Amino acid sequence: MKNIYKLDRPVYIISDASVVGQSEAEGPMGELFDFAIRGDDTFGCDTWEKAESELQRLALSEALAKGLLCDGEIDMILSGDLLNQCIGSAFGLSDFETPFIGLYGACSTAAEGLMLGSLISSAYSARVAAVTSSHNASAERQFRSPLEYGGQRPPTAQWTVTGSGSFILSANIADAQRCAKGDDICIAEILEVCPGRIVDAGINDANNMGAAMAPAAADTIERYFQDGGKMPSLILTGDLGYEGSEILKDILKNRNTDISDVHMDCGLMIYDRKKQDKHSGASGCGCSATVLSAGILKDIRSAQLEDVVFVGTGALMNTMSVQQGMTIPAIAHLVHIKGRAFPGEEKK
């Protein structure tokens, strides 16, 4: 069975953008996001779901602007969210006159979009936008209980991020050079991907998704190394939180793979767990997307990070499966991103 798919041609993340809400702006990464919309997280809309659509519209618009592009200059949009039938994406991106493909990978959607987008871009020289979002209020209403209910959250629970991340992919190095900032030392380049398998660990607690997703992350990482993948400078998971991160490291250590020195999790980076009382950390499609855009890609372009294996994790449940007490299957998709130095005088 083939695990790693090496791209025929490298694909570059030529631009990206992150938009977040109040709690995210107050966290450790607050100054790094492109937009932080403070207030009640409605963003001028009359429902939480419409607010989430607005997040996506803003994130893609900003990524296009940073990429010096208009929507007519991208060939395809891949997008998904946590809402039924991905309505956050469909309504938020309906004004962009671009072919649209809806995705559902739960919290792995950022990695799923980058994986599929890079394969398409590499094969067909297409410019592809990968977009995703989540909103704390819309997710809580759908998967657990409305905020007005005031339900108690156990220590293993994670806090759904209100945020959206957008990435523009191109196999044309001239696009990456044209969009580079003056202080960029490297280009962010996707070299290979490893699709995840569905793994069901038997967890049926919607307030312990880290435990449900950790075995899927371990499966993908293990298959990546078995197929010749090398240990990177950073393995970035998203989003296992505290509980899931510890389980992941324990599983891999028991299988003779120790990632303790190179592992970070997006769910532990976006909030201050002690000051903001976010229990086991963050989750949601917007978590890994905004952390990757606001933090990791900046570090790659500035040469502070060289080699990143990004493993997006998702809990493949819906409201009906939770209400019926079914277990929570999980998935983890892997994208290998590397910094490539601008050769000679090619940077424009």
Side-chain angles (χ1 to χ4, degrees), residues 10-61:
V11 170
Y12 309 100
I13 305 176
I14 65 172
S15 68
D16 55 274
S18 56
V19 183
V20 298
Q22 175 86 24
S23 291
E24 295 71 27
E26 294 172 347
M29 298 182 64
E31 296 182 356
L32 300 177
F33 301 115
D34 291 299
F35 288 112
I37 305 175
R38 300 177 184 273
D40 62 2
D41 287 350
T42 61
F43 314 142
C45 302
D46 55 10
T47 70
W48 304 121
E49 290 74 20
K50 290 179 182 178
E52 183 166 348
S53 293
E54 179 65 5
L55 280 171
Q56 288 211 21
R57 187 192 68 79
L58 289 170
L60 180 53
S61 297

Side-chain angles (χ1 to χ4, degrees), residues 225 231-236 258-265 309:
F225 289 138
M231 186 68 75
S233 53
L234 173 65
I235 294 177
L236 180 72
D258 190 351
I259 64 169
S260 301
D261 292 338
V262 298
H263 175 254
M264 294 176 67
D265 185 73
V309 165

Side-chain angles (χ1 to χ4, degrees), residues 224-279:
Y224 177 72
F225 289 138
Q226 288 173 348
D227 209 15
K230 307 299 182 184
M231 186 68 75
S233 53
L234 173 65
I235 294 177
L236 180 72
T237 54
D239 347 284
L240 299 176
Y242 177 78
E243 189 86 6
S245 294
E246 294 303 306
I247 293 171
L248 169 65
K249 288 183 284 189
D250 286 345
I251 291 173
L252 289 176
K253 190 173 291 186
N254 288 334
R255 298 175 184 175
N256 300 314
T257 301
D258 190 351
I259 64 169
S260 301
D261 292 338
V262 298
H263 175 254
M264 294 176 67
D265 185 73
C266 299
L268 295 176
M269 297 168 67
I270 198 166
Y271 298 129
D272 185 314
R273 287 180 64 219
K274 293 183 179 179
K275 293 181 180 179
Q276 294 184 280
D277 188 26
K278 300 303 183 185
H279 292 39

Side-chain angles (χ1 to χ4, degrees), residues 9 64 112 207 210 312:
R9 290 182 297 165
L64 288 170
E112 182 182 15
N207 284 301

Side-chain angles (χ1 to χ4, degrees), residues 298-314:
K298 284 183 174 67
D299 287 345
I300 289 175
R301 292 180 181 125
S302 64
Q304 295 180 60
L305 271 176
E306 178 186 3
D307 197 20
V308 177
V309 165
F310 172 47
V311 185
T313 58

